[in-house]
Amino acid sequence: MASVRIGIIGLGTIGKAHWKVIRESAQTTLIAVADPTPSALDFARAESIPAYADYREMLENETLDGVVVAVPNAEHVPVALACIERGIAVLVEKPVADRVETAQAMCKEAEGRDVPVLVGHHRRHNTAVQRVRQAIRDGLIGRPVTATVMYNQLKPASYFDLDWRRQVGGGPVLINLIHEIDLIRFMFGEIHSLQALSSNAVRGFAVEDTAAVLLRSQSGAIGTISVSDTAVSPFSWDLASGEFDLMLGTSDRMKRQKVSTHVFAGTEGSVTLPTLDYYNYRDVAEPGWRSDLNAEVLTVESTDTYLRQIEHFARVIRREEAPLVSGLDGTRTLQATLAVTEAAATGQTIILSE
Ligand SMILES: NC(=O)c1ccc[n+]([C@@H]2O[C@H](COP(=O)([O-])OP(=O)(O)OC[C@H]3O[C@@H](n4cnc5c(N)ncnc54)[C@H](O)[C@@H]3O)[C@@H](O)[C@H]2O)c1
């Protein structure tokens, strides 16, 4: 099986995570990178990888099968379109775009040219996430009733040195909560409607630092999500799942927190992430609070989520698989996430789909 030729545009935090797995996998070869910052160019050149300050030059000069687009949110669509117009498949980081209209225009262009688009909702490639989805589909929790999701952690002050992270659109709703929205869609299906509150009271930036969401899925299940980048807590996917270490490429940097951040509960049982605890009533006369709950742990092989994602991208490029998160799928997640901002600003319930 031939290795696919990949370029990276945007060699910042997540661009470097892609760099690591592209170089690790036998299915992908890193051909070149593009980023205007001298430190990124030096980083690549130190490893003898061709580096361009202007991504258009990279696209002109290199032969690429696929490009990872890992630039700030507002640049996703123009950069991805430049690739699509040249027939190059894209793995575009989440959010797929900063506006639904531009995301839809990009998807239309990609469809017209038959160029695959994969959106970087990497968690869908996580084996624990896939195990829970399968458990729900197999009926282990019965009819889904609630999703309870926490993403509360402290981002260090230096994280906000980059100006775009202090501006509207650069905060935890579009950066972090979007993953939770996508995960709930992945587990329970499309979202019917939502309500939200947000606050910038602690950091005082233009962008929010905290938000809470109440949502209803089309199936009738109800979900709650709290998200904050200013609360000291282990209850966040980044700290509990181990994926953050994969992203930084430094497994000894942070102690992984053994806590549950997600509970999916139904009429027959409940299951947690990333801990994979499973609770139900088994062989009891009358299921209910006076009976013993059976507790067990679902098992799954844990692997590098970003590696699984890039290898899926290689198969998408070879047309062996359809994108697990297509451009339109990523657009629906974006739409629901932007609805959170609208709901918080207006105090209204936003109806997404009947
Ligand atoms: N899936 C994930 O786990 C994950 C994690 C973090 C960030 N992200 C997403 O990735 C994107 C980047 O986030 P980040 O935290 O890596 O940001 P970052 O600021 O660390 O990196 C962005 C990089 O893009 C470069 N850049 C900006 N404009 C460019 C252009 N026109 N051409 C080439 N390079 C350009 C910058 O110089 C910088 O190096 C965001 O959309 C974010 O939402 C995804």
Side-chain angles (χ1 to χ4, degrees):
M1 178 190 355
S3 170
V4 294
R5 300 167 59 86
I6 308 280
I8 301 175
I9 302 181
L11 196 59
T13 310
I14 196 66
K16 290 202 178 88
H18 290 294
W19 161 292
K20 177 175 165 278
V21 294
I22 293 167
R23 300 198 82 190
E24 229 168 84
S25 173
Q27 297 191 41
T28 51
T29 304
L30 183 61
I31 300 298
V33 304
D35 194 303
T37 57
S39 59
L41 297 173
D42 290 347
F43 180 92
R45 287 172 186 152
E47 298 283 329
S48 306
I49 297 292
Y52 296 83
D54 185 338
Y55 70 87
R56 292 176 204 84
E57 245 181 78
M58 178 181 88
L59 298 177
E60 286 304 317
N61 291 340
E62 304 287 350
T63 305
L64 300 168
D65 302 314
V67 163
V68 174
V69 178
V71 294
N73 302 345
E75 303 254 0
H76 286 186
V77 166
V79 172
L81 275 175
C83 301
I84 291 165
E85 281 159 9
R86 289 170 173 81
I88 302 171
V90 288
L91 191 180
V92 56
E93 264 307 337
K94 44 54 63 174
V96 59
D98 57 352
R99 290 193 300 126
V100 170
E101 298 72 25
T102 51
Q104 286 168 335
M106 183 192 75
C107 293
K108 202 168 164 207
E109 191 67 25
E111 196 190 350
R113 292 176 187 265
D114 194 24
V115 176
V117 174
L118 172 66
V119 184
H121 285 292
H122 65 279
R123 284 195 205 167
R124 292 204 201 183
H125 303 269
N126 183 300
T127 50
V129 168
Q130 292 185 346
R131 180 71 189 88
V132 165
R133 184 173 195 247
Q134 196 55 49
I136 293 171
R137 295 196 150 202
D138 290 345
L140 262 67
I141 71 165
R143 178 178 169 176
V145 177
T146 59
T148 308
V149 175
M150 290 182 288
Y151 184 97
N152 296 306
Q153 65 177 9
L154 182 70
K155 291 185 183 170
S158 57
Y159 174 89
F160 300 95
D161 288 348
L162 293 172
D163 182 60
W164 71 273
R165 290 176 174 160
R166 300 191 297 269
Q167 305 305 328
V168 173
V173 168
L174 263 181
I175 297 286
N176 309 112
L177 181 101
I178 190 168
H179 286 299
E180 308 304 352
I181 297 267
D182 191 67
L183 193 65
I184 289 179
R185 285 188 59 237
F186 195 48
M187 297 297 175
F188 283 0
E190 291 304 336
I191 296 169
H192 169 270
S193 53
L194 59 80
Q195 300 170 333
L197 293 173
S198 72
S199 168
N200 65 351
V202 175
R203 293 198 188 276
F205 297 146
V207 71
E208 76 286 337
D209 52 51
T210 304
V213 181
L214 199 54
L215 60 83
R216 186 190 301 279
S217 71
Q218 280 182 4
S219 68
I222 286 172
T224 57
I225 313 171
S226 70
V227 58
S228 179
D229 63 26
T230 192
V232 175
S233 134
F235 301 102
S236 99
W237 179 260
D238 289 345
L239 300 186
S241 69
E243 281 181 356
F244 200 61
D245 285 343
L246 294 175
M247 198 170 91
L248 296 171
T250 51
S251 55
D252 59 351
R253 185 114 158 215
M254 179 198 305
K255 196 157 172 274
R256 184 170 170 184
Q257 305 292 326
K258 289 198 174 121
V259 295
S260 299
T261 52
H262 296 64
V263 183
F264 299 97
T267 51
E268 303 293 330
S270 57
V271 63
T272 67
L273 274 172
T275 37
L276 292 177
D277 299 312
Y278 173 55
Y279 301 93
N280 66 349
Y281 289 112
R282 185 175 289 173
D283 304 326
V284 296
E286 187 193 20
W289 57 22
R290 289 192 200 285
S291 300
D292 279 342
L293 263 175
N294 169 59
E296 54 195 275
V297 180
L298 306 178
T299 54
V300 75
E301 188 195 344
S302 94
T303 55
D304 184 328
T305 302
Y306 293 99
L307 182 64
R308 281 171 65 83
Q309 177 177 249
I310 206 71
E311 294 194 334
H312 170 65
F313 186 44
R315 293 190 293 277
V316 166
I317 289 171
R318 291 196 295 262
R319 305 295 202 274
E320 294 165 6
E321 289 178 6
L324 181 56
V325 193
S326 69
L328 285 175
D329 204 349
T331 304
R332 278 194 282 275
T333 290
L334 172 68
Q335 199 159 19
T337 310
L338 293 174
V340 168
T341 307
E342 187 187 342
T346 61
Q348 302 290 311
T349 299
I350 309 292
I351 310 285
L352 287 156
S353 59
E354 296 297 343

